[in-house]
Amino acid sequence: MDEVQGIIEEIVFRNEVNGYTVLEINDDKRQTTIIGYFPFVNIGETIKVAGQWVEHQDYGLQFKMEAYHVITPATLNGIERYLASGLISGIGPATAKKLIEKFGLDTLDIIQYNPQKLMEIPGIGAKKSGKIHDSFMEQTELKDIMLFLEGYKISPAYAVRIYKTYGADTINIIKENPYNLAEDVFGIGFKTADKIALSAGVPIDSEFRIACGTRYTLGQFHQKGHTYAPQDILIKSAAELLEVPIESVENILIKLLVDNKIVLEEMEGVKVIYSVAFHRAEMGTVRRLLSLCNFPVDKAGIDIDEEIAKVEKDEDIQLADNQKEAVSEALKNGVLVITGGPGTGKTTTIKTILRLFQRMGFSVLLCAPTGRAAKRMQEATGEEAKTIHRLLEYGCGEKEEEMVFQKNEDTPLEADAIIVDEASMIDILLMNNLLKAIAEGTRLILVGDVDQLPSVGPGCVLKDIIESNTVKVVRLNEIFRQAEESMIVVNAHKINKGEMPVLDNKERDFFFMKRDRQEDVLEKIKELCMERLPKYSGYSAMEGIQVLSPMKKGLCGVYNLNIELQNTLNPPMLSKNQRVYRDNVFREGDKVMQIKNNYRMKWQSLLDEDYEGEGVFNGDIGIITKIDNEEQYIEVLYDGDKLVKYEPKYLDELELSYAVTVHKSQGSEFPVLVMPVLPGPPMLLTRNLLYTALTRAKELVVFVGGERYIYSMVRNNHITKRYSGLKYKLLRLGMNSNE
């Protein structure tokens, strides 16, 4: 076996999923191309590689790695290249040069052991020197962990996720119980954790292994939106996963039940298994809903019709009969559900209820599941609206890393009424936490379109509540004249009824462009976003025009659309800084989306320099205004005002958003919407996905693709069954409470 050693000069290619890398090293004598699976190496590092020389038919002589280890850079050039690579937060090329000029070969030792000396460099204060030291130590720690995980064939992308979850304790936690990975780290499957455990000597029929595998299987049901699993199906699935007899899983289920790790319930003659958290959430939701329904509310002794007429006059509106019914029932009931499709006046109804309550002196709180939905609610009503998480004051618990809702049964929300928009997006865990914080006597009004896609999280809360008939429901079904003139609204209702939409392109707000080949669909979408739609609508692809896709993969899936649209709308230029992060290239001017709720992320107002806030939310779309490769941060501007600075550790919360999935668009509205309609999995291309996509548009929709695929989606009314016990429990406990 041969050996080579040198400084990494260039990383030619890296597959972030499996870690396969092509890199160039320099040993002062020659340049060598090395290929292999490297867990986490960077430009400027010195590596010693064992392997063999191979001849590639196109690329010539290469060195194929079989083993390697990283050597601390020992030359001035090596140290400078390492520090300038962007690996250490707070150090870019200019700072790296200053450090080498000042400290020479001692630079790395000073960063690690004597970081206060860094303050001798102009521009480095106490805060920045601490940041550099912490980042350096994190990278040192990370490399040890990466090498450990590489031994189990865990890809670099997943290795970083594992490290973010466990930190410095990663190796100890994995050695103690590898199955923690399957439960704690998103994307790490049971099979990966099981491979580690089996290689560490855990027997295949170990009770511990079967218990972990069974609970993991139950967790997979939750991942698919179910709140429980039928016992027989769970046992069979777990036995197949573990490759053990069914009897072994049955025995473990009994032990898990005795240990209160799971809950067994019989539902309409079928035995089902819950995780404790989801059983508790369903039971809590049922009890609180019924309690709020049955608690007498103050009807204030007013003439409702007269009061509604006053609001209509003040707001210069005229309500339909079922809207008036909704307003009236909001006053009479502890809990009310208002549901309806586009153009039926849900927003006007919310505003009327709000104004009526305000006239009566009621305090009202407005909220929605997502930041964008809350923003739309606030714009429509002129009153403050929050995400449900922020309303419930989601924040740190007793332990610093623990996040909990500060508002609960002990510290309830102080309000006479709470109005929740986009209620179809609420899953069972969030609903339970919301209801816990609502005191008896407070009215709860849930507003949403029950025909939208279900919540991302487990349960089908709004649908179950409506179908249980235990809560007062008002259906808005009259389409207003103004909405009747919109083919977006007309076609949405046609699709929802199983009728074919009108595709003749004679209207001003709904267009269908026929293209048969995926390549042609892609080119047409790029042309629409670049030229035609900005001219026609007055909106730009950065603000106002949004591409949706049903799928993530494929030529017209979100991943490829984002790359193609980025290159079309915001191509690389010498004047624009960019940063490569895993599979993303972020560039100044890019349209990006925050993909998780971050309640601690600080932002600065551009309109008021003295105003700062916290919180960036899942689904927020912004523009990259600055990439600083020296100080290692990216600035993103949201809503034209909120400026957020992303340090490297937060970059996995950002994605390009020229195109997003239909599921990701829930709770949002866009002036102009473009969507490819192409063949795909029938389980995905359904009527309610098409309906949901169409109802995200306010002013203009363009579908590009095959007419037959639109028709097949309309005909495909398959709604994946979700195992949920909320409806059953509401019916059963509701009947008991009325006896």
Side-chain angles (χ1 to χ4, degrees), residues 157-188:
Y158 285 133
V160 172
R161 288 186 188 178
I162 293 169
Y163 175 74
K164 283 194 169 187
T165 302
Y166 300 134
D169 294 328
T170 297
I171 294 174
N172 290 335
I173 289 173
I174 292 175
K175 283 182 175 178
E176 182 180 332
N177 180 5
Y179 295 106
N180 282 325
L181 291 169
E183 292 189 15
D184 298 340
V185 184
F186 177 75
I188 297 287

PDB file of all heavy atoms in Angstrom, residues 157-188:
ATOM      1  N   ALA A 157     -22.925  14.258   5.915  1.00  0.00           N
ATOM      2  CA  ALA A 157     -24.111  15.076   6.157  1.00  0.00           C
ATOM      3  C   ALA A 157     -24.836  14.621   7.421  1.00  0.00           C
ATOM      4  O   ALA A 157     -25.250  15.440   8.245  1.00  0.00           O
ATOM      5  CB  ALA A 157     -25.052  14.998   4.952  1.00  0.00           C
ATOM      6  N   TYR A 158     -24.972  13.307   7.590  1.00  0.00           N
ATOM      7  CA  TYR A 158     -25.648  12.792   8.780  1.00  0.00           C
ATOM      8  C   TYR A 158     -24.749  12.906  10.014  1.00  0.00           C
ATOM      9  O   TYR A 158     -25.228  13.096  11.131  1.00  0.00           O
ATOM     10  CB  TYR A 158     -26.074  11.342   8.566  1.00  0.00           C
ATOM     11  CG  TYR A 158     -27.266  11.200   7.662  1.00  0.00           C
ATOM     12  CD1 TYR A 158     -27.282  10.283   6.626  1.00  0.00           C
ATOM     13  CD2 TYR A 158     -28.385  12.015   7.830  1.00  0.00           C
ATOM     14  CE1 TYR A 158     -28.371  10.169   5.782  1.00  0.00           C
ATOM     15  CE2 TYR A 158     -29.473  11.909   6.995  1.00  0.00           C
ATOM     16  CZ  TYR A 158     -29.470  10.980   5.975  1.00  0.00           C
ATOM     17  OH  TYR A 158     -30.547  10.878   5.153  1.00  0.00           O
ATOM     18  N   ALA A 159     -23.434  12.791   9.793  1.00  0.00           N
ATOM     19  CA  ALA A 159     -22.506  12.928  10.919  1.00  0.00           C
ATOM     20  C   ALA A 159     -22.613  14.311  11.550  1.00  0.00           C
ATOM     21  O   ALA A 159     -22.575  14.469  12.771  1.00  0.00           O
ATOM     22  CB  ALA A 159     -21.076  12.660  10.460  1.00  0.00           C
ATOM     23  N   VAL A 160     -22.783  15.339  10.709  1.00  0.00           N
ATOM     24  CA  VAL A 160     -22.944  16.699  11.233  1.00  0.00           C
ATOM     25  C   VAL A 160     -24.233  16.813  12.032  1.00  0.00           C
ATOM     26  O   VAL A 160     -24.279  17.434  13.092  1.00  0.00           O
ATOM     27  CB  VAL A 160     -22.917  17.728  10.080  1.00  0.00           C
ATOM     28  CG1 VAL A 160     -23.288  19.107  10.585  1.00  0.00           C
ATOM     29  CG2 VAL A 160     -21.535  17.768   9.437  1.00  0.00           C
ATOM     30  N   ARG A 161     -25.311  16.207  11.536  1.00  0.00           N
ATOM     31  CA  ARG A 161     -26.581  16.229  12.276  1.00  0.00           C
ATOM     32  C   ARG A 161     -26.440  15.550  13.638  1.00  0.00           C
ATOM     33  O   ARG A 161     -26.976  16.019  14.639  1.00  0.00           O
ATOM     34  CB  ARG A 161     -27.677  15.511  11.476  1.00  0.00           C
ATOM     35  CG  ARG A 161     -28.153  16.263  10.253  1.00  0.00           C
ATOM     36  CD  ARG A 161     -29.329  15.536   9.624  1.00  0.00           C
ATOM     37  NE  ARG A 161     -29.696  16.131   8.350  1.00  0.00           N
ATOM     38  CZ  ARG A 161     -30.650  15.674   7.567  1.00  0.00           C
ATOM     39  NH1 ARG A 161     -31.332  14.610   7.932  1.00  0.00           N
ATOM     40  NH2 ARG A 161     -30.934  16.260   6.438  1.00  0.00           N
ATOM     41  N   ILE A 162     -25.724  14.415  13.647  1.00  0.00           N
ATOM     42  CA  ILE A 162     -25.517  13.690  14.907  1.00  0.00           C
ATOM     43  C   ILE A 162     -24.743  14.571  15.882  1.00  0.00           C
ATOM     44  O   ILE A 162     -25.098  14.685  17.061  1.00  0.00           O
ATOM     45  CB  ILE A 162     -24.765  12.368  14.652  1.00  0.00           C
ATOM     46  CG1 ILE A 162     -25.652  11.415  13.846  1.00  0.00           C
ATOM     47  CG2 ILE A 162     -24.355  11.720  15.965  1.00  0.00           C
ATOM     48  CD1 ILE A 162     -24.918  10.203  13.310  1.00  0.00           C
ATOM     49  N   TYR A 163     -23.698  15.212  15.375  1.00  0.00           N
ATOM     50  CA  TYR A 163     -22.887  16.074  16.238  1.00  0.00           C
ATOM     51  C   TYR A 163     -23.713  17.238  16.789  1.00  0.00           C
ATOM     52  O   TYR A 163     -23.596  17.604  17.958  1.00  0.00           O
ATOM     53  CB  TYR A 163     -21.683  16.602  15.461  1.00  0.00           C
ATOM     54  CG  TYR A 163     -20.868  17.602  16.241  1.00  0.00           C
ATOM     55  CD1 TYR A 163     -20.044  17.186  17.282  1.00  0.00           C
ATOM     56  CD2 TYR A 163     -20.948  18.962  15.960  1.00  0.00           C
ATOM     57  CE1 TYR A 163     -19.311  18.106  18.018  1.00  0.00           C
ATOM     58  CE2 TYR A 163     -20.214  19.883  16.687  1.00  0.00           C
ATOM     59  CZ  TYR A 163     -19.404  19.449  17.707  1.00  0.00           C
ATOM     60  OH  TYR A 163     -18.692  20.365  18.440  1.00  0.00           O
ATOM     61  N   LYS A 164     -24.578  17.822  15.927  1.00  0.00           N
ATOM     62  CA  LYS A 164     -25.410  18.940  16.390  1.00  0.00           C
ATOM     63  C   LYS A 164     -26.376  18.494  17.476  1.00  0.00           C
ATOM     64  O   LYS A 164     -26.767  19.283  18.332  1.00  0.00           O
ATOM     65  CB  LYS A 164     -26.185  19.533  15.216  1.00  0.00           C
ATOM     66  CG  LYS A 164     -25.351  20.427  14.323  1.00  0.00           C
ATOM     67  CD  LYS A 164     -26.227  21.242  13.398  1.00  0.00           C
ATOM     68  CE  LYS A 164     -25.410  22.313  12.700  1.00  0.00           C
ATOM     69  NZ  LYS A 164     -26.240  23.224  11.925  1.00  0.00           N
ATOM     70  N   THR A 165     -26.791  17.235  17.431  1.00  0.00           N
ATOM     71  CA  THR A 165     -27.733  16.721  18.423  1.00  0.00           C
ATOM     72  C   THR A 165     -27.042  16.433  19.753  1.00  0.00           C
ATOM     73  O   THR A 165     -27.560  16.790  20.819  1.00  0.00           O
ATOM     74  CB  THR A 165     -28.395  15.431  17.903  1.00  0.00           C
ATOM     75  OG1 THR A 165     -29.048  15.719  16.667  1.00  0.00           O
ATOM     76  CG2 THR A 165     -29.422  14.916  18.902  1.00  0.00           C
ATOM     77  N   TYR A 166     -25.883  15.803  19.701  1.00  0.00           N
ATOM     78  CA  TYR A 166     -25.234  15.331  20.933  1.00  0.00           C
ATOM     79  C   TYR A 166     -24.008  16.134  21.360  1.00  0.00           C
ATOM     80  O   TYR A 166     -23.566  16.017  22.509  1.00  0.00           O
ATOM     81  CB  TYR A 166     -24.825  13.864  20.781  1.00  0.00           C
ATOM     82  CG  TYR A 166     -25.967  12.920  20.503  1.00  0.00           C
ATOM     83  CD1 TYR A 166     -25.875  11.956  19.509  1.00  0.00           C
ATOM     84  CD2 TYR A 166     -27.138  12.977  21.245  1.00  0.00           C
ATOM     85  CE1 TYR A 166     -26.912  11.075  19.254  1.00  0.00           C
ATOM     86  CE2 TYR A 166     -28.183  12.104  20.998  1.00  0.00           C
ATOM     87  CZ  TYR A 166     -28.064  11.156  19.997  1.00  0.00           C
ATOM     88  OH  TYR A 166     -29.097  10.285  19.759  1.00  0.00           O
ATOM     89  N   GLY A 167     -23.425  16.905  20.428  1.00  0.00           N
ATOM     90  CA  GLY A 167     -22.258  17.700  20.786  1.00  0.00           C
ATOM     91  C   GLY A 167     -21.078  16.848  21.210  1.00  0.00           C
ATOM     92  O   GLY A 167     -20.815  15.776  20.655  1.00  0.00           O
ATOM     93  N   ALA A 168     -20.386  17.300  22.233  1.00  0.00           N
ATOM     94  CA  ALA A 168     -19.167  16.631  22.696  1.00  0.00           C
ATOM     95  C   ALA A 168     -19.423  15.227  23.222  1.00  0.00           C
ATOM     96  O   ALA A 168     -18.503  14.407  23.311  1.00  0.00           O
ATOM     97  CB  ALA A 168     -18.501  17.478  23.778  1.00  0.00           C
ATOM     98  N   ASP A 169     -20.677  14.931  23.595  1.00  0.00           N
ATOM     99  CA  ASP A 169     -21.001  13.617  24.154  1.00  0.00           C
ATOM    100  C   ASP A 169     -21.331  12.581  23.087  1.00  0.00           C
ATOM    101  O   ASP A 169     -21.750  11.465  23.404  1.00  0.00           O
ATOM    102  CB  ASP A 169     -22.200  13.730  25.108  1.00  0.00           C
ATOM    103  CG  ASP A 169     -21.878  14.553  26.341  1.00  0.00           C
ATOM    104  OD1 ASP A 169     -20.709  14.517  26.768  1.00  0.00           O
ATOM    105  OD2 ASP A 169     -22.776  15.214  26.877  1.00  0.00           O
ATOM    106  N   THR A 170     -21.173  12.936  21.807  1.00  0.00           N
ATOM    107  CA  THR A 170     -21.601  12.061  20.719  1.00  0.00           C
ATOM    108  C   THR A 170     -21.081  10.637  20.853  1.00  0.00           C
ATOM    109  O   THR A 170     -21.844   9.666  20.812  1.00  0.00           O
ATOM    110  CB  THR A 170     -21.153  12.639  19.356  1.00  0.00           C
ATOM    111  OG1 THR A 170     -21.800  13.898  19.155  1.00  0.00           O
ATOM    112  CG2 THR A 170     -21.511  11.708  18.221  1.00  0.00           C
ATOM    113  N   ILE A 171     -19.772  10.496  20.997  1.00  0.00           N
ATOM    114  CA  ILE A 171     -19.174   9.154  21.002  1.00  0.00           C
ATOM    115  C   ILE A 171     -19.678   8.346  22.193  1.00  0.00           C
ATOM    116  O   ILE A 171     -20.058   7.172  22.044  1.00  0.00           O
ATOM    117  CB  ILE A 171     -17.635   9.250  21.001  1.00  0.00           C
ATOM    118  CG1 ILE A 171     -17.163   9.869  19.678  1.00  0.00           C
ATOM    119  CG2 ILE A 171     -17.003   7.877  21.209  1.00  0.00           C
ATOM    120  CD1 ILE A 171     -15.674  10.160  19.608  1.00  0.00           C
ATOM    121  N   ASN A 172     -19.731   8.957  23.381  1.00  0.00           N
ATOM    122  CA  ASN A 172     -20.196   8.230  24.570  1.00  0.00           C
ATOM    123  C   ASN A 172     -21.649   7.785  24.431  1.00  0.00           C
ATOM    124  O   ASN A 172     -22.010   6.662  24.792  1.00  0.00           O
ATOM    125  CB  ASN A 172     -20.039   9.104  25.819  1.00  0.00           C
ATOM    126  CG  ASN A 172     -18.586   9.307  26.201  1.00  0.00           C
ATOM    127  OD1 ASN A 172     -17.730   8.483  25.863  1.00  0.00           O
ATOM    128  ND2 ASN A 172     -18.293  10.401  26.881  1.00  0.00           N
ATOM    129  N   ILE A 173     -22.493   8.676  23.912  1.00  0.00           N
ATOM    130  CA  ILE A 173     -23.918   8.354  23.784  1.00  0.00           C
ATOM    131  C   ILE A 173     -24.125   7.216  22.798  1.00  0.00           C
ATOM    132  O   ILE A 173     -24.923   6.293  23.040  1.00  0.00           O
ATOM    133  CB  ILE A 173     -24.720   9.603  23.345  1.00  0.00           C
ATOM    134  CG1 ILE A 173     -24.783  10.607  24.503  1.00  0.00           C
ATOM    135  CG2 ILE A 173     -26.129   9.231  22.892  1.00  0.00           C
ATOM    136  CD1 ILE A 173     -25.391  11.944  24.132  1.00  0.00           C
ATOM    137  N   ILE A 174     -23.406   7.257  21.684  1.00  0.00           N
ATOM    138  CA  ILE A 174     -23.572   6.207  20.676  1.00  0.00           C
ATOM    139  C   ILE A 174     -23.053   4.869  21.194  1.00  0.00           C
ATOM    140  O   ILE A 174     -23.671   3.823  20.963  1.00  0.00           O
ATOM    141  CB  ILE A 174     -22.868   6.603  19.367  1.00  0.00           C
ATOM    142  CG1 ILE A 174     -23.601   7.791  18.729  1.00  0.00           C
ATOM    143  CG2 ILE A 174     -22.814   5.431  18.386  1.00  0.00           C
ATOM    144  CD1 ILE A 174     -22.941   8.342  17.496  1.00  0.00           C
ATOM    145  N   LYS A 175     -21.943   4.888  21.892  1.00  0.00           N
ATOM    146  CA  LYS A 175     -21.421   3.631  22.450  1.00  0.00           C
ATOM    147  C   LYS A 175     -22.375   3.044  23.483  1.00  0.00           C
ATOM    148  O   LYS A 175     -22.563   1.832  23.562  1.00  0.00           O
ATOM    149  CB  LYS A 175     -20.044   3.881  23.090  1.00  0.00           C
ATOM    150  CG  LYS A 175     -18.910   4.017  22.077  1.00  0.00           C
ATOM    151  CD  LYS A 175     -17.579   4.215  22.786  1.00  0.00           C
ATOM    152  CE  LYS A 175     -16.431   4.240  21.787  1.00  0.00           C
ATOM    153  NZ  LYS A 175     -15.125   4.486  22.463  1.00  0.00           N
ATOM    154  N   GLU A 176     -22.984   3.921  24.272  1.00  0.00           N
ATOM    155  CA  GLU A 176     -23.887   3.454  25.331  1.00  0.00           C
ATOM    156  C   GLU A 176     -25.182   2.889  24.763  1.00  0.00           C
ATOM    157  O   GLU A 176     -25.668   1.853  25.200  1.00  0.00           O
ATOM    158  CB  GLU A 176     -24.198   4.619  26.284  1.00  0.00           C
ATOM    159  CG  GLU A 176     -25.081   4.224  27.453  1.00  0.00           C
ATOM    160  CD  GLU A 176     -25.348   5.412  28.368  1.00  0.00           C
ATOM    161  OE1 GLU A 176     -24.496   6.319  28.432  1.00  0.00           O
ATOM    162  OE2 GLU A 176     -26.412   5.423  28.999  1.00  0.00           O
ATOM    163  N   ASN A 177     -25.757   3.573  23.764  1.00  0.00           N
ATOM    164  CA  ASN A 177     -27.017   3.114  23.170  1.00  0.00           C
ATOM    165  C   ASN A 177     -27.139   3.651  21.746  1.00  0.00           C
ATOM    166  O   ASN A 177     -27.668   4.733  21.530  1.00  0.00           O
ATOM    167  CB  ASN A 177     -28.220   3.567  24.009  1.00  0.00           C
ATOM    168  CG  ASN A 177     -29.541   3.098  23.411  1.00  0.00           C
ATOM    169  OD1 ASN A 177     -29.565   2.360  22.433  1.00  0.00           O
ATOM    170  ND2 ASN A 177     -30.634   3.531  24.002  1.00  0.00           N
ATOM    171  N   PRO A 178     -26.673   2.882  20.766  1.00  0.00           N
ATOM    172  CA  PRO A 178     -26.724   3.357  19.378  1.00  0.00           C
ATOM    173  C   PRO A 178     -28.142   3.638  18.888  1.00  0.00           C
ATOM    174  O   PRO A 178     -28.335   4.422  17.963  1.00  0.00           O
ATOM    175  CB  PRO A 178     -26.105   2.194  18.585  1.00  0.00           C
ATOM    176  CG  PRO A 178     -25.359   1.378  19.587  1.00  0.00           C
ATOM    177  CD  PRO A 178     -26.062   1.558  20.884  1.00  0.00           C
ATOM    178  N   TYR A 179     -29.134   3.005  19.511  1.00  0.00           N
ATOM    179  CA  TYR A 179     -30.514   3.175  19.045  1.00  0.00           C
ATOM    180  C   TYR A 179     -31.057   4.569  19.336  1.00  0.00           C
ATOM    181  O   TYR A 179     -32.094   4.959  18.797  1.00  0.00           O
ATOM    182  CB  TYR A 179     -31.419   2.109  19.663  1.00  0.00           C
ATOM    183  CG  TYR A 179     -31.062   0.720  19.199  1.00  0.00           C
ATOM    184  CD1 TYR A 179     -30.400  -0.170  20.046  1.00  0.00           C
ATOM    185  CD2 TYR A 179     -31.351   0.308  17.902  1.00  0.00           C
ATOM    186  CE1 TYR A 179     -30.055  -1.436  19.614  1.00  0.00           C
ATOM    187  CE2 TYR A 179     -31.001  -0.959  17.465  1.00  0.00           C
ATOM    188  CZ  TYR A 179     -30.358  -1.832  18.324  1.00  0.00           C
ATOM    189  OH  TYR A 179     -30.015  -3.084  17.879  1.00  0.00           O
ATOM    190  N   ASN A 180     -30.347   5.316  20.177  1.00  0.00           N
ATOM    191  CA  ASN A 180     -30.742   6.719  20.391  1.00  0.00           C
ATOM    192  C   ASN A 180     -30.761   7.490  19.073  1.00  0.00           C
ATOM    193  O   ASN A 180     -31.562   8.410  18.891  1.00  0.00           O
ATOM    194  CB  ASN A 180     -29.760   7.410  21.352  1.00  0.00           C
ATOM    195  CG  ASN A 180     -30.022   7.037  22.798  1.00  0.00           C
ATOM    196  OD1 ASN A 180     -31.159   6.845  23.194  1.00  0.00           O
ATOM    197  ND2 ASN A 180     -28.958   6.915  23.573  1.00  0.00           N
ATOM    198  N   LEU A 181     -29.851   7.110  18.165  1.00  0.00           N
ATOM    199  CA  LEU A 181     -29.750   7.815  16.889  1.00  0.00           C
ATOM    200  C   LEU A 181     -31.079   7.805  16.138  1.00  0.00           C
ATOM    201  O   LEU A 181     -31.489   8.815  15.564  1.00  0.00           O
ATOM    202  CB  LEU A 181     -28.676   7.164  16.014  1.00  0.00           C
ATOM    203  CG  LEU A 181     -27.221   7.324  16.456  1.00  0.00           C
ATOM    204  CD1 LEU A 181     -26.326   6.409  15.646  1.00  0.00           C
ATOM    205  CD2 LEU A 181     -26.792   8.769  16.297  1.00  0.00           C
ATOM    206  N   ALA A 182     -31.750   6.658  16.123  1.00  0.00           N
ATOM    207  CA  ALA A 182     -32.985   6.521  15.353  1.00  0.00           C
ATOM    208  C   ALA A 182     -34.090   7.410  15.906  1.00  0.00           C
ATOM    209  O   ALA A 182     -34.942   7.886  15.160  1.00  0.00           O
ATOM    210  CB  ALA A 182     -33.434   5.063  15.346  1.00  0.00           C
ATOM    211  N   GLU A 183     -34.080   7.639  17.213  1.00  0.00           N
ATOM    212  CA  GLU A 183     -35.126   8.444  17.833  1.00  0.00           C
ATOM    213  C   GLU A 183     -34.788   9.927  17.859  1.00  0.00           C
ATOM    214  O   GLU A 183     -35.664  10.780  17.761  1.00  0.00           O
ATOM    215  CB  GLU A 183     -35.381   7.957  19.272  1.00  0.00           C
ATOM    216  CG  GLU A 183     -35.998   6.570  19.338  1.00  0.00           C
ATOM    217  CD  GLU A 183     -36.437   6.208  20.755  1.00  0.00           C
ATOM    218  OE1 GLU A 183     -36.528   7.122  21.604  1.00  0.00           O
ATOM    219  OE2 GLU A 183     -36.687   5.022  21.010  1.00  0.00           O
ATOM    220  N   ASP A 184     -33.492  10.247  17.985  1.00  0.00           N
ATOM    221  CA  ASP A 184     -33.101  11.632  18.256  1.00  0.00           C
ATOM    222  C   ASP A 184     -32.667  12.424  17.024  1.00  0.00           C
ATOM    223  O   ASP A 184     -32.742  13.655  17.036  1.00  0.00           O
ATOM    224  CB  ASP A 184     -31.942  11.666  19.271  1.00  0.00           C
ATOM    225  CG  ASP A 184     -32.329  11.060  20.607  1.00  0.00           C
ATOM    226  OD1 ASP A 184     -33.538  10.967  20.880  1.00  0.00           O
ATOM    227  OD2 ASP A 184     -31.419  10.674  21.368  1.00  0.00           O
ATOM    228  N   VAL A 185     -32.199  11.737  15.995  1.00  0.00           N
ATOM    229  CA  VAL A 185     -31.572  12.440  14.869  1.00  0.00           C
ATOM    230  C   VAL A 185     -32.403  12.240  13.609  1.00  0.00           C
ATOM    231  O   VAL A 185     -32.536  11.117  13.116  1.00  0.00           O
ATOM    232  CB  VAL A 185     -30.131  11.956  14.630  1.00  0.00           C
ATOM    233  CG1 VAL A 185     -29.481  12.767  13.516  1.00  0.00           C
ATOM    234  CG2 VAL A 185     -29.317  12.060  15.913  1.00  0.00           C
ATOM    235  N   PHE A 186     -32.968  13.327  13.115  1.00  0.00           N
ATOM    236  CA  PHE A 186     -33.792  13.261  11.912  1.00  0.00           C
ATOM    237  C   PHE A 186     -32.962  12.760  10.731  1.00  0.00           C
ATOM    238  O   PHE A 186     -31.871  13.239  10.477  1.00  0.00           O
ATOM    239  CB  PHE A 186     -34.354  14.650  11.576  1.00  0.00           C
ATOM    240  CG  PHE A 186     -35.162  14.683  10.314  1.00  0.00           C
ATOM    241  CD1 PHE A 186     -36.440  14.162  10.285  1.00  0.00           C
ATOM    242  CD2 PHE A 186     -34.627  15.207   9.150  1.00  0.00           C
ATOM    243  CE1 PHE A 186     -37.177  14.177   9.122  1.00  0.00           C
ATOM    244  CE2 PHE A 186     -35.357  15.232   7.984  1.00  0.00           C
ATOM    245  CZ  PHE A 186     -36.639  14.708   7.970  1.00  0.00           C
ATOM    246  N   GLY A 187     -33.501  11.765  10.027  1.00  0.00           N
ATOM    247  CA  GLY A 187     -32.826  11.236   8.847  1.00  0.00           C
ATOM    248  C   GLY A 187     -32.012   9.987   9.117  1.00  0.00           C
ATOM    249  O   GLY A 187     -31.644   9.266   8.198  1.00  0.00           O
ATOM    250  N   ILE A 188     -31.710   9.720  10.393  1.00  0.00           N
ATOM    251  CA  ILE A 188     -30.986   8.502  10.740  1.00  0.00           C
ATOM    252  C   ILE A 188     -32.016   7.408  10.989  1.00  0.00           C
ATOM    253  O   ILE A 188     -32.803   7.488  11.930  1.00  0.00           O
ATOM    254  CB  ILE A 188     -30.120   8.689  12.003  1.00  0.00           C
ATOM    255  CG1 ILE A 188     -29.050   9.742  11.760  1.00  0.00           C
ATOM    256  CG2 ILE A 188     -29.493   7.363  12.421  1.00  0.00           C
ATOM    257  CD1 ILE A 188     -27.921   9.314  10.877  1.00  0.00           C
TER     258      ILE A 188
END
